[in-house]
Amino acid sequence: MKKFIIQVLATVVGIVLLTSIVVFSLILINIIAFIPSKFVVKDKSILEINLNNSILESSNDREVPISLLNNVKHVYLKDILDVINHAKTDDKIEGISLKLSNINAGYSQIAEIRQALLNFKESKKFIYSYSNECDQRSYYLSSVADSLYVNPNASIELAGLSAEVLFYKNLGQKFGVNFEVIRHGKYKSAVEPYLRDNLSEENRYQLKNLLQNFWNKISSDIISSRKITNESLNNSVDSLYGFIPELAYKNRLVDRLIYESQYDNLIKKRLGLSDEDSINKISLEQYKEFTEDVSFINDKIAILYASGQIYTGKGDTEVYSKTFINLINEIKNDDNIKAVVLRVNSPGGSANASAEILYELYELKKKKPLIVSFSDIAASGGYYISMAADKIYAQDNTLTGSIGVLGMIPDVKKLANTIGITSDYVSTNTNSKYYSITQGTSQGFKEIMNKGINITYNKFVNEVMKGRHMTYAQVDSVGQGRIWSGRDALEKGLVDEIGGFNEAIEYAAKKAGVTSYNLVSYPEEKTNWDLIVNMFTSDDNDLNQSGIIENLIKYELGKDHYKLYQKIKNIESNQGIMYLMPYDVEIK
C-alpha cells in the first residue's frame, strides 16, 4: 500500500510539474508575441522575398505547432500581395530580391504573386532573382525578374506539368474491402481510385486538357519575361536543359551563373554602394510589420475564407458548416461591414453542408454585396457555394466546375469472412438493414441512393442555372462532373472575369460605394497561443479537428507518406452523397 501511495503521489507531482511547464511556455510565447517591433526601413533598402514557408490562404490552413516553442513564420497570400504593392510606392525600397528554391503553393497563387511583381516593375524599380536550387514553381515566379541568376552548380527542375493519380482498387481487393459507388456525371472521377487501377478515358481526356491549359499560361508568362521563343522554351523543357547549369545559361533560361557573394555585389552596384557597404535587406515578415496600418475607419470589407474540404458540423480547420455559418451571421449582423469577398480554395465535400452554406450566403447577399474570388481550386461543392455571388473572379489556372455528384459506401464483408467473422440479422421491414460494414448495402438502398444522387445533381444544376443565368441544357453540357480551368470556365460562362484577390476586393468596394475601408478576415488570424489553448480546452473530437493529432501524424510520417495516409483515411469521411472533385490529383 505504501508503495502504491508513493507511485500515485509521484504521478500527481509529475502532472503538476508538466502543467506548470506548459503554462509557463504559453505565457512566454504570449509575451514574446507582443514585444513591439523596433524595425525601421532605411534609405536604399531592398525587399528580400524567399517564401520558404507554406503560403496560406487563411488561418484555417495553419497547423498546430508540434513544439510549444515552435516559432515558424506563417505567410498569407494576401499579406504577400499587400507588401509588394506597398513597396511599389515606398521611396526607401529600391528593388526586390527574390531568393526562391522550393515554393509550397499552387500555380494560381504563384500567378497572383507574379502579377503583383509585374505591377511593382511599373515603378521602374528593379527585381533581381538568385537561386542555389530551383524547382519549377520557383522558376515560374523567378522568371519575372529583370535579371535571373543561379549558382554555377544549381539545377532548375523545369520539366513541364504532370498529374499523378493513386489507385486503391487492388489494395481493397487484396484486403477484402469493397467500395459501393454511385455517381452522376461521366467525368465524376473522385471515386475512380476505388473502382479502377488506371485512368478512365474521360478522366484522362480532361486531365490532359487541364494540364495543357495550365502549361499554356505558365509557358507564355515565362516566354514573355525571358524574351525567348515558345519553340526554344519547350525544347529546353523536353530536353531537361535546366538540370545542367551551363545548358540553362546557353538556352537563356538564366542570365548568369554566379555565386551568392557575386550576386550581392551586383545589388550593391545597382544601389550605388561600395564593396565595403552592407545591403539593408528587409524580409517580407519585417516589412509586413512595418507597413501594417492601424487606421480607425468604420467602413469595412470582410474577407470570408472557404479553404479546405467541406464537412458538416463544427471544426477549426477546413470548412465545417456550423462554424462557417456562424461566421456568415457575424458578418451579416455587423453594420460596419459594407461588402464581402468570399475567397474559395476548396474541392467541395458534403452535399448537405454545401447546401446549408449556400442558403446562408444568399441571406447574406440580401444585406450586402457578395463577390467571390477563386484561388487554386473552387470545384464541385466549392463551386456550388459560390452561386450566390454578384460576381465571380477566377485565375487562368484555377481548377473549377466539377458540377456532379457522387456517393461512396465501403464494406469489409470479404475481409471479415476471410478472417472467420460472419454476421446475421433479423429485421422488421424489407430494408431495415439497408447497410452494414460486414454485409454491404441492400438492393433497395442502392436504388434509393441512385435516385438521391440524380435528385441532388438536379439541385446542383438548378443552383447553377439560378446563379449563372443559364439553361438546364447549358449547365448540363459543361457539368457531368467535368473540371475546367479558370480560362475555360470564363468561356463557358461559369465565372465572370479573370482576376485576382485584389481585383475582387476593389470591385466589392466599388459595388458597396466605399472608397476608404479596412479589411477584416473571417476566421480571424490565429496565433500559436490560440491554437495551443484550443488544443488544451477541446474535447477529443474537437482536438482531432483542431489539427494537433493530424499534425503529429504528419510529423512522424513525413509529407509524402502522410498524403497516402490521408487519402485512405478520407474513405470514411467521404461516405454518403458528396459534391466532391477528384481530390487525388496533384499537379506537379
Side-chain angles (χ1 to χ4, degrees), residues 47 58 65 95 99-100 157 166 184 193 219 228 247 263 375 402 427 467 494 529 550 554 557 569:
L47 176 62
S58 78
K99 292 283 191 72
L100 309 174
E157 297 177 14
L166 296 177
H184 188 110
S219 61
I228 56 179
L247 292 176
Y263 174 72
S375 183
S402 194
S427 60
L494 297 176
W529 169 272
E550 288 294 302
K554 183 177 181 181
L557 293 179
K569 174 179 173 288

mmCIF file with all atom_site columns, all heavy atoms in Angstrom, residues 47 58 65 95 99-100 157 166 184 193 219 228 247 263 375 402 427 467 494 529 550 554 557 569:
data_model
loop_
_atom_site.group_PDB
_atom_site.id
_atom_site.type_symbol
_atom_site.label_atom_id
_atom_site.label_alt_id
_atom_site.label_comp_id
_atom_site.label_asym_id
_atom_site.label_entity_id
_atom_site.label_seq_id
_atom_site.pdbx_PDB_ins_code
_atom_site.Cartn_x
_atom_site.Cartn_y
_atom_site.Cartn_z
_atom_site.occupancy
_atom_site.B_iso_or_equiv
_atom_site.pdbx_formal_charge
_atom_site.auth_seq_id
_atom_site.auth_comp_id
_atom_site.auth_asym_id
_atom_site.auth_atom_id
_atom_site.pdbx_PDB_model_num
ATOM 1   N N   . LEU A 1 47  ? 13.717  44.770 -50.620 1.00 0.00 ? 47  LEU A N   1
ATOM 2   C CA  . LEU A 1 47  ? 12.806  43.789 -50.043 1.00 0.00 ? 47  LEU A CA  1
ATOM 3   C C   . LEU A 1 47  ? 13.242  42.403 -50.521 1.00 0.00 ? 47  LEU A C   1
ATOM 4   O O   . LEU A 1 47  ? 13.274  42.138 -51.723 1.00 0.00 ? 47  LEU A O   1
ATOM 5   C CB  . LEU A 1 47  ? 11.368  44.080 -50.488 1.00 0.00 ? 47  LEU A CB  1
ATOM 6   C CG  . LEU A 1 47  ? 10.282  43.094 -50.043 1.00 0.00 ? 47  LEU A CG  1
ATOM 7   C CD1 . LEU A 1 47  ? 10.170  43.070 -48.521 1.00 0.00 ? 47  LEU A CD1 1
ATOM 8   C CD2 . LEU A 1 47  ? 8.937   43.474 -50.669 1.00 0.00 ? 47  LEU A CD2 1
ATOM 9   N N   . SER A 1 58  ? -5.800  31.153 -45.382 1.00 0.00 ? 58  SER A N   1
ATOM 10  C CA  . SER A 1 58  ? -6.430  31.663 -44.168 1.00 0.00 ? 58  SER A CA  1
ATOM 11  C C   . SER A 1 58  ? -5.867  30.937 -42.960 1.00 0.00 ? 58  SER A C   1
ATOM 12  O O   . SER A 1 58  ? -5.086  29.988 -43.080 1.00 0.00 ? 58  SER A O   1
ATOM 13  C CB  . SER A 1 58  ? -7.949  31.457 -44.220 1.00 0.00 ? 58  SER A CB  1
ATOM 14  O OG  . SER A 1 58  ? -8.291  30.113 -43.936 1.00 0.00 ? 58  SER A OG  1
ATOM 15  N N   . PRO A 1 65  ? 1.317   23.806 -33.832 1.00 0.00 ? 65  PRO A N   1
ATOM 16  C CA  . PRO A 1 65  ? 2.749   23.558 -33.687 1.00 0.00 ? 65  PRO A CA  1
ATOM 17  C C   . PRO A 1 65  ? 3.045   22.306 -32.882 1.00 0.00 ? 65  PRO A C   1
ATOM 18  O O   . PRO A 1 65  ? 2.421   22.066 -31.853 1.00 0.00 ? 65  PRO A O   1
ATOM 19  C CB  . PRO A 1 65  ? 3.254   24.815 -32.958 1.00 0.00 ? 65  PRO A CB  1
ATOM 20  C CG  . PRO A 1 65  ? 2.056   25.379 -32.289 1.00 0.00 ? 65  PRO A CG  1
ATOM 21  C CD  . PRO A 1 65  ? 0.893   25.051 -33.169 1.00 0.00 ? 65  PRO A CD  1
ATOM 22  N N   . GLY A 1 95  ? 14.339  48.146 -54.661 1.00 0.00 ? 95  GLY A N   1
ATOM 23  C CA  . GLY A 1 95  ? 14.073  46.995 -55.519 1.00 0.00 ? 95  GLY A CA  1
ATOM 24  C C   . GLY A 1 95  ? 13.733  45.771 -54.698 1.00 0.00 ? 95  GLY A C   1
ATOM 25  O O   . GLY A 1 95  ? 13.659  45.811 -53.461 1.00 0.00 ? 95  GLY A O   1
ATOM 26  N N   . LYS A 1 99  ? 14.760  35.253 -53.549 1.00 0.00 ? 99  LYS A N   1
ATOM 27  C CA  . LYS A 1 99  ? 15.629  34.129 -53.183 1.00 0.00 ? 99  LYS A CA  1
ATOM 28  C C   . LYS A 1 99  ? 14.737  32.900 -53.049 1.00 0.00 ? 99  LYS A C   1
ATOM 29  O O   . LYS A 1 99  ? 14.285  32.539 -51.961 1.00 0.00 ? 99  LYS A O   1
ATOM 30  C CB  . LYS A 1 99  ? 16.336  34.420 -51.856 1.00 0.00 ? 99  LYS A CB  1
ATOM 31  C CG  . LYS A 1 99  ? 17.364  35.547 -51.903 1.00 0.00 ? 99  LYS A CG  1
ATOM 32  C CD  . LYS A 1 99  ? 18.656  35.078 -52.551 1.00 0.00 ? 99  LYS A CD  1
ATOM 33  C CE  . LYS A 1 99  ? 19.778  36.099 -52.356 1.00 0.00 ? 99  LYS A CE  1
ATOM 34  N NZ  . LYS A 1 99  ? 20.290  36.158 -50.977 1.00 0.00 ? 99  LYS A NZ  1
ATOM 35  N N   . LEU A 1 100 ? 14.459  32.254 -54.167 1.00 0.00 ? 100 LEU A N   1
ATOM 36  C CA  . LEU A 1 100 ? 13.465  31.179 -54.202 1.00 0.00 ? 100 LEU A CA  1
ATOM 37  C C   . LEU A 1 100 ? 14.112  29.835 -54.502 1.00 0.00 ? 100 LEU A C   1
ATOM 38  O O   . LEU A 1 100 ? 15.046  29.757 -55.303 1.00 0.00 ? 100 LEU A O   1
ATOM 39  C CB  . LEU A 1 100 ? 12.403  31.482 -55.262 1.00 0.00 ? 100 LEU A CB  1
ATOM 40  C CG  . LEU A 1 100 ? 11.752  32.869 -55.190 1.00 0.00 ? 100 LEU A CG  1
ATOM 41  C CD1 . LEU A 1 100 ? 10.843  33.100 -56.378 1.00 0.00 ? 100 LEU A CD1 1
ATOM 42  C CD2 . LEU A 1 100 ? 10.981  33.027 -53.886 1.00 0.00 ? 100 LEU A CD2 1
ATOM 43  N N   . GLU A 1 157 ? 14.536  22.586 -61.961 1.00 0.00 ? 157 GLU A N   1
ATOM 44  C CA  . GLU A 1 157 ? 13.649  21.455 -62.257 1.00 0.00 ? 157 GLU A CA  1
ATOM 45  C C   . GLU A 1 157 ? 12.519  21.900 -63.190 1.00 0.00 ? 157 GLU A C   1
ATOM 46  O O   . GLU A 1 157 ? 11.346  21.921 -62.820 1.00 0.00 ? 157 GLU A O   1
ATOM 47  C CB  . GLU A 1 157 ? 13.090  20.882 -60.960 1.00 0.00 ? 157 GLU A CB  1
ATOM 48  C CG  . GLU A 1 157 ? 14.153  20.306 -60.042 1.00 0.00 ? 157 GLU A CG  1
ATOM 49  C CD  . GLU A 1 157 ? 13.587  19.814 -58.728 1.00 0.00 ? 157 GLU A CD  1
ATOM 50  O OE1 . GLU A 1 157 ? 12.349  19.673 -58.634 1.00 0.00 ? 157 GLU A OE1 1
ATOM 51  O OE2 . GLU A 1 157 ? 14.363  19.586 -57.793 1.00 0.00 ? 157 GLU A OE2 1
ATOM 52  N N   . LEU A 1 166 ? -3.337  8.260  -57.633 1.00 0.00 ? 166 LEU A N   1
ATOM 53  C CA  . LEU A 1 166 ? -3.158  6.978  -56.936 1.00 0.00 ? 166 LEU A CA  1
ATOM 54  C C   . LEU A 1 166 ? -4.453  6.186  -56.972 1.00 0.00 ? 166 LEU A C   1
ATOM 55  O O   . LEU A 1 166 ? -5.544  6.740  -56.820 1.00 0.00 ? 166 LEU A O   1
ATOM 56  C CB  . LEU A 1 166 ? -2.743  7.231  -55.488 1.00 0.00 ? 166 LEU A CB  1
ATOM 57  C CG  . LEU A 1 166 ? -1.397  7.926  -55.266 1.00 0.00 ? 166 LEU A CG  1
ATOM 58  C CD1 . LEU A 1 166 ? -1.181  8.170  -53.768 1.00 0.00 ? 166 LEU A CD1 1
ATOM 59  C CD2 . LEU A 1 166 ? -0.254  7.121  -55.835 1.00 0.00 ? 166 LEU A CD2 1
ATOM 60  N N   . HIS A 1 184 ? -23.173 10.589 -60.539 1.00 0.00 ? 184 HIS A N   1
ATOM 61  C CA  . HIS A 1 184 ? -23.829 11.208 -61.687 1.00 0.00 ? 184 HIS A CA  1
ATOM 62  C C   . HIS A 1 184 ? -22.808 12.109 -62.362 1.00 0.00 ? 184 HIS A C   1
ATOM 63  O O   . HIS A 1 184 ? -22.259 13.014 -61.747 1.00 0.00 ? 184 HIS A O   1
ATOM 64  C CB  . HIS A 1 184 ? -25.048 12.030 -61.263 1.00 0.00 ? 184 HIS A CB  1
ATOM 65  C CG  . HIS A 1 184 ? -25.859 12.516 -62.433 1.00 0.00 ? 184 HIS A CG  1
ATOM 66  N ND1 . HIS A 1 184 ? -27.109 12.030 -62.720 1.00 0.00 ? 184 HIS A ND1 1
ATOM 67  C CD2 . HIS A 1 184 ? -25.589 13.420 -63.404 1.00 0.00 ? 184 HIS A CD2 1
ATOM 68  C CE1 . HIS A 1 184 ? -27.577 12.629 -63.811 1.00 0.00 ? 184 HIS A CE1 1
ATOM 69  N NE2 . HIS A 1 184 ? -26.660 13.479 -64.241 1.00 0.00 ? 184 HIS A NE2 1
ATOM 70  N N   . PRO A 1 193 ? -10.322 6.162  -58.127 1.00 0.00 ? 193 PRO A N   1
ATOM 71  C CA  . PRO A 1 193 ? -9.234  5.429  -57.473 1.00 0.00 ? 193 PRO A CA  1
ATOM 72  C C   . PRO A 1 193 ? -9.695  4.192  -56.714 1.00 0.00 ? 193 PRO A C   1
ATOM 73  O O   . PRO A 1 193 ? -8.889  3.300  -56.444 1.00 0.00 ? 193 PRO A O   1
ATOM 74  C CB  . PRO A 1 193 ? -8.643  6.469  -56.510 1.00 0.00 ? 193 PRO A CB  1
ATOM 75  C CG  . PRO A 1 193 ? -8.934  7.778  -57.157 1.00 0.00 ? 193 PRO A CG  1
ATOM 76  C CD  . PRO A 1 193 ? -10.284 7.595  -57.771 1.00 0.00 ? 193 PRO A CD  1
ATOM 77  N N   . SER A 1 219 ? 3.915   28.762 -69.572 1.00 0.00 ? 219 SER A N   1
ATOM 78  C CA  . SER A 1 219 ? 4.956   28.927 -70.595 1.00 0.00 ? 219 SER A CA  1
ATOM 79  C C   . SER A 1 219 ? 4.874   30.285 -71.270 1.00 0.00 ? 219 SER A C   1
ATOM 80  O O   . SER A 1 219 ? 5.903   30.912 -71.553 1.00 0.00 ? 219 SER A O   1
ATOM 81  C CB  . SER A 1 219 ? 4.869   27.802 -71.629 1.00 0.00 ? 219 SER A CB  1
ATOM 82  O OG  . SER A 1 219 ? 3.624   27.811 -72.294 1.00 0.00 ? 219 SER A OG  1
ATOM 83  N N   . ILE A 1 228 ? 12.182  34.763 -74.921 1.00 0.00 ? 228 ILE A N   1
ATOM 84  C CA  . ILE A 1 228 ? 12.608  33.624 -75.733 1.00 0.00 ? 228 ILE A CA  1
ATOM 85  C C   . ILE A 1 228 ? 11.399  33.117 -76.498 1.00 0.00 ? 228 ILE A C   1
ATOM 86  O O   . ILE A 1 228 ? 10.263  33.513 -76.221 1.00 0.00 ? 228 ILE A O   1
ATOM 87  C CB  . ILE A 1 228 ? 13.214  32.492 -74.877 1.00 0.00 ? 228 ILE A CB  1
ATOM 88  C CG1 . ILE A 1 228 ? 12.211  32.043 -73.795 1.00 0.00 ? 228 ILE A CG1 1
ATOM 89  C CG2 . ILE A 1 228 ? 14.520  32.938 -74.240 1.00 0.00 ? 228 ILE A CG2 1
ATOM 90  C CD1 . ILE A 1 228 ? 12.719  30.908 -72.925 1.00 0.00 ? 228 ILE A CD1 1
ATOM 91  N N   . LEU A 1 247 ? 23.820  24.462 -69.671 1.00 0.00 ? 247 LEU A N   1
ATOM 92  C CA  . LEU A 1 247 ? 22.795  24.405 -70.722 1.00 0.00 ? 247 LEU A CA  1
ATOM 93  C C   . LEU A 1 247 ? 21.654  25.386 -70.442 1.00 0.00 ? 247 LEU A C   1
ATOM 94  O O   . LEU A 1 247 ? 21.062  25.943 -71.367 1.00 0.00 ? 247 LEU A O   1
ATOM 95  C CB  . LEU A 1 247 ? 22.252  22.981 -70.849 1.00 0.00 ? 247 LEU A CB  1
ATOM 96  C CG  . LEU A 1 247 ? 23.228  21.932 -71.399 1.00 0.00 ? 247 LEU A CG  1
ATOM 97  C CD1 . LEU A 1 247 ? 22.600  20.550 -71.380 1.00 0.00 ? 247 LEU A CD1 1
ATOM 98  C CD2 . LEU A 1 247 ? 23.651  22.309 -72.827 1.00 0.00 ? 247 LEU A CD2 1
ATOM 99  N N   . TYR A 1 263 ? 26.416  37.898 -56.499 1.00 0.00 ? 263 TYR A N   1
ATOM 100 C CA  . TYR A 1 263 ? 25.060  38.434 -56.633 1.00 0.00 ? 263 TYR A CA  1
ATOM 101 C C   . TYR A 1 263 ? 24.879  39.659 -55.732 1.00 0.00 ? 263 TYR A C   1
ATOM 102 O O   . TYR A 1 263 ? 24.326  40.694 -56.154 1.00 0.00 ? 263 TYR A O   1
ATOM 103 C CB  . TYR A 1 263 ? 24.050  37.344 -56.276 1.00 0.00 ? 263 TYR A CB  1
ATOM 104 C CG  . TYR A 1 263 ? 22.606  37.789 -56.234 1.00 0.00 ? 263 TYR A CG  1
ATOM 105 C CD1 . TYR A 1 263 ? 21.909  38.085 -57.398 1.00 0.00 ? 263 TYR A CD1 1
ATOM 106 C CD2 . TYR A 1 263 ? 21.933  37.906 -55.016 1.00 0.00 ? 263 TYR A CD2 1
ATOM 107 C CE1 . TYR A 1 263 ? 20.571  38.494 -57.350 1.00 0.00 ? 263 TYR A CE1 1
ATOM 108 C CE2 . TYR A 1 263 ? 20.613  38.298 -54.957 1.00 0.00 ? 263 TYR A CE2 1
ATOM 109 C CZ  . TYR A 1 263 ? 19.936  38.594 -56.133 1.00 0.00 ? 263 TYR A CZ  1
ATOM 110 O OH  . TYR A 1 263 ? 18.615  38.982 -56.080 1.00 0.00 ? 263 TYR A OH  1
ATOM 111 N N   . SER A 1 375 ? -9.261  30.805 -55.722 1.00 0.00 ? 375 SER A N   1
ATOM 112 C CA  . SER A 1 375 ? -7.824  30.610 -55.611 1.00 0.00 ? 375 SER A CA  1
ATOM 113 C C   . SER A 1 375 ? -7.413  29.450 -56.523 1.00 0.00 ? 375 SER A C   1
ATOM 114 O O   . SER A 1 375 ? -7.778  29.428 -57.690 1.00 0.00 ? 375 SER A O   1
ATOM 115 C CB  . SER A 1 375 ? -7.428  30.347 -54.160 1.00 0.00 ? 375 SER A CB  1
ATOM 116 O OG  . SER A 1 375 ? -6.029  30.217 -54.019 1.00 0.00 ? 375 SER A OG  1
ATOM 117 N N   . SER A 1 402 ? -16.583 20.959 -62.060 1.00 0.00 ? 402 SER A N   1
ATOM 118 C CA  . SER A 1 402 ? -16.850 19.661 -61.428 1.00 0.00 ? 402 SER A CA  1
ATOM 119 C C   . SER A 1 402 ? -18.280 19.609 -60.898 1.00 0.00 ? 402 SER A C   1
ATOM 120 O O   . SER A 1 402 ? -18.546 19.235 -59.752 1.00 0.00 ? 402 SER A O   1
ATOM 121 C CB  . SER A 1 402 ? -15.854 19.388 -60.295 1.00 0.00 ? 402 SER A CB  1
ATOM 122 O OG  . SER A 1 402 ? -15.892 18.036 -59.893 1.00 0.00 ? 402 SER A OG  1
ATOM 123 N N   . SER A 1 427 ? -34.896 -8.464 -39.087 1.00 0.00 ? 427 SER A N   1
ATOM 124 C CA  . SER A 1 427 ? -35.411 -7.111 -39.283 1.00 0.00 ? 427 SER A CA  1
ATOM 125 C C   . SER A 1 427 ? -36.919 -7.141 -39.417 1.00 0.00 ? 427 SER A C   1
ATOM 126 O O   . SER A 1 427 ? -37.526 -8.205 -39.642 1.00 0.00 ? 427 SER A O   1
ATOM 127 C CB  . SER A 1 427 ? -34.792 -6.488 -40.538 1.00 0.00 ? 427 SER A CB  1
ATOM 128 O OG  . SER A 1 427 ? -35.094 -7.255 -41.670 1.00 0.00 ? 427 SER A OG  1
ATOM 129 N N   . GLY A 1 467 ? -27.757 30.947 -60.360 1.00 0.00 ? 467 GLY A N   1
ATOM 130 C CA  . GLY A 1 467 ? -26.629 31.834 -60.096 1.00 0.00 ? 467 GLY A CA  1
ATOM 131 C C   . GLY A 1 467 ? -25.942 32.357 -61.342 1.00 0.00 ? 467 GLY A C   1
ATOM 132 O O   . GLY A 1 467 ? -25.444 33.490 -61.361 1.00 0.00 ? 467 GLY A O   1
ATOM 133 N N   . LEU A 1 494 ? -19.083 30.033 -66.632 1.00 0.00 ? 494 LEU A N   1
ATOM 134 C CA  . LEU A 1 494 ? -19.109 29.576 -65.241 1.00 0.00 ? 494 LEU A CA  1
ATOM 135 C C   . LEU A 1 494 ? -18.527 30.607 -64.281 1.00 0.00 ? 494 LEU A C   1
ATOM 136 O O   . LEU A 1 494 ? -18.768 30.547 -63.071 1.00 0.00 ? 494 LEU A O   1
ATOM 137 C CB  . LEU A 1 494 ? -18.359 28.252 -65.103 1.00 0.00 ? 494 LEU A CB  1
ATOM 138 C CG  . LEU A 1 494 ? -18.951 27.069 -65.884 1.00 0.00 ? 494 LEU A CG  1
ATOM 139 C CD1 . LEU A 1 494 ? -18.065 25.835 -65.750 1.00 0.00 ? 494 LEU A CD1 1
ATOM 140 C CD2 . LEU A 1 494 ? -20.363 26.759 -65.393 1.00 0.00 ? 494 LEU A CD2 1
ATOM 141 N N   . TRP A 1 529 ? -0.486  30.762 -29.781 1.00 0.00 ? 529 TRP A N   1
ATOM 142 C CA  . TRP A 1 529 ? -1.157  30.783 -28.481 1.00 0.00 ? 529 TRP A CA  1
ATOM 143 C C   . TRP A 1 529 ? -2.605  30.313 -28.619 1.00 0.00 ? 529 TRP A C   1
ATOM 144 O O   . TRP A 1 529 ? -3.082  29.465 -27.852 1.00 0.00 ? 529 TRP A O   1
ATOM 145 C CB  . TRP A 1 529 ? -1.089  32.197 -27.918 1.00 0.00 ? 529 TRP A CB  1
ATOM 146 C CG  . TRP A 1 529 ? -1.945  32.450 -26.708 1.00 0.00 ? 529 TRP A CG  1
ATOM 147 C CD1 . TRP A 1 529 ? -3.246  32.839 -26.682 1.00 0.00 ? 529 TRP A CD1 1
ATOM 148 C CD2 . TRP A 1 529 ? -1.542  32.318 -25.344 1.00 0.00 ? 529 TRP A CD2 1
ATOM 149 N NE1 . TRP A 1 529 ? -3.685  32.969 -25.402 1.00 0.00 ? 529 TRP A NE1 1
ATOM 150 C CE2 . TRP A 1 529 ? -2.657  32.652 -24.545 1.00 0.00 ? 529 TRP A CE2 1
ATOM 151 C CE3 . TRP A 1 529 ? -0.350  31.959 -24.721 1.00 0.00 ? 529 TRP A CE3 1
ATOM 152 C CZ2 . TRP A 1 529 ? -2.619  32.638 -23.163 1.00 0.00 ? 529 TRP A CZ2 1
ATOM 153 C CZ3 . TRP A 1 529 ? -0.317  31.953 -23.331 1.00 0.00 ? 529 TRP A CZ3 1
ATOM 154 C CH2 . TRP A 1 529 ? -1.433  32.282 -22.571 1.00 0.00 ? 529 TRP A CH2 1
ATOM 155 N N   . GLU A 1 550 ? -3.605  15.238 -36.338 1.00 0.00 ? 550 GLU A N   1
ATOM 156 C CA  . GLU A 1 550 ? -3.180  15.117 -37.731 1.00 0.00 ? 550 GLU A CA  1
ATOM 157 C C   . GLU A 1 550 ? -1.757  15.634 -37.918 1.00 0.00 ? 550 GLU A C   1
ATOM 158 O O   . GLU A 1 550 ? -0.964  15.056 -38.663 1.00 0.00 ? 550 GLU A O   1
ATOM 159 C CB  . GLU A 1 550 ? -4.132  15.900 -38.642 1.00 0.00 ? 550 GLU A CB  1
ATOM 160 C CG  . GLU A 1 550 ? -5.497  15.260 -38.798 1.00 0.00 ? 550 GLU A CG  1
ATOM 161 C CD  . GLU A 1 550 ? -5.431  13.927 -39.515 1.00 0.00 ? 550 GLU A CD  1
ATOM 162 O OE1 . GLU A 1 550 ? -4.936  13.882 -40.649 1.00 0.00 ? 550 GLU A OE1 1
ATOM 163 O OE2 . GLU A 1 550 ? -5.857  12.924 -38.916 1.00 0.00 ? 550 GLU A OE2 1
ATOM 164 N N   . LYS A 1 554 ? 1.450   13.666 -39.338 1.00 0.00 ? 554 LYS A N   1
ATOM 165 C CA  . LYS A 1 554 ? 2.200   14.202 -40.474 1.00 0.00 ? 554 LYS A CA  1
ATOM 166 C C   . LYS A 1 554 ? 3.676   14.352 -40.131 1.00 0.00 ? 554 LYS A C   1
ATOM 167 O O   . LYS A 1 554 ? 4.566   14.071 -40.947 1.00 0.00 ? 554 LYS A O   1
ATOM 168 C CB  . LYS A 1 554 ? 1.610   15.559 -40.879 1.00 0.00 ? 554 LYS A CB  1
ATOM 169 C CG  . LYS A 1 554 ? 2.250   16.186 -42.098 1.00 0.00 ? 554 LYS A CG  1
ATOM 170 C CD  . LYS A 1 554 ? 1.549   17.480 -42.457 1.00 0.00 ? 554 LYS A CD  1
ATOM 171 C CE  . LYS A 1 554 ? 2.154   18.118 -43.705 1.00 0.00 ? 554 LYS A CE  1
ATOM 172 N NZ  . LYS A 1 554 ? 1.476   19.389 -44.043 1.00 0.00 ? 554 LYS A NZ  1
ATOM 173 N N   . LEU A 1 557 ? 5.150   10.719 -40.148 1.00 0.00 ? 557 LEU A N   1
ATOM 174 C CA  . LEU A 1 557 ? 5.163   10.025 -41.439 1.00 0.00 ? 557 LEU A CA  1
ATOM 175 C C   . LEU A 1 557 ? 5.983   10.746 -42.505 1.00 0.00 ? 557 LEU A C   1
ATOM 176 O O   . LEU A 1 557 ? 6.506   10.108 -43.421 1.00 0.00 ? 557 LEU A O   1
ATOM 177 C CB  . LEU A 1 557 ? 3.726   9.844  -41.949 1.00 0.00 ? 557 LEU A CB  1
ATOM 178 C CG  . LEU A 1 557 ? 2.818   8.903  -41.165 1.00 0.00 ? 557 LEU A CG  1
ATOM 179 C CD1 . LEU A 1 557 ? 1.425   8.880  -41.805 1.00 0.00 ? 557 LEU A CD1 1
ATOM 180 C CD2 . LEU A 1 557 ? 3.392   7.494  -41.108 1.00 0.00 ? 557 LEU A CD2 1
ATOM 181 N N   . LYS A 1 569 ? -7.542  7.483  -45.178 1.00 0.00 ? 569 LYS A N   1
ATOM 182 C CA  . LYS A 1 569 ? -8.368  7.900  -44.053 1.00 0.00 ? 569 LYS A CA  1
ATOM 183 C C   . LYS A 1 569 ? -9.650  8.578  -44.518 1.00 0.00 ? 569 LYS A C   1
ATOM 184 O O   . LYS A 1 569 ? -10.716 8.424  -43.913 1.00 0.00 ? 569 LYS A O   1
ATOM 185 C CB  . LYS A 1 569 ? -7.567  8.862  -43.176 1.00 0.00 ? 569 LYS A CB  1
ATOM 186 C CG  . LYS A 1 569 ? -8.349  9.488  -42.027 1.00 0.00 ? 569 LYS A CG  1
ATOM 187 C CD  . LYS A 1 569 ? -7.444  10.385 -41.231 1.00 0.00 ? 569 LYS A CD  1
ATOM 188 C CE  . LYS A 1 569 ? -8.218  11.164 -40.167 1.00 0.00 ? 569 LYS A CE  1
ATOM 189 N NZ  . LYS A 1 569 ? -9.063  12.213 -40.750 1.00 0.00 ? 569 LYS A NZ  1
#
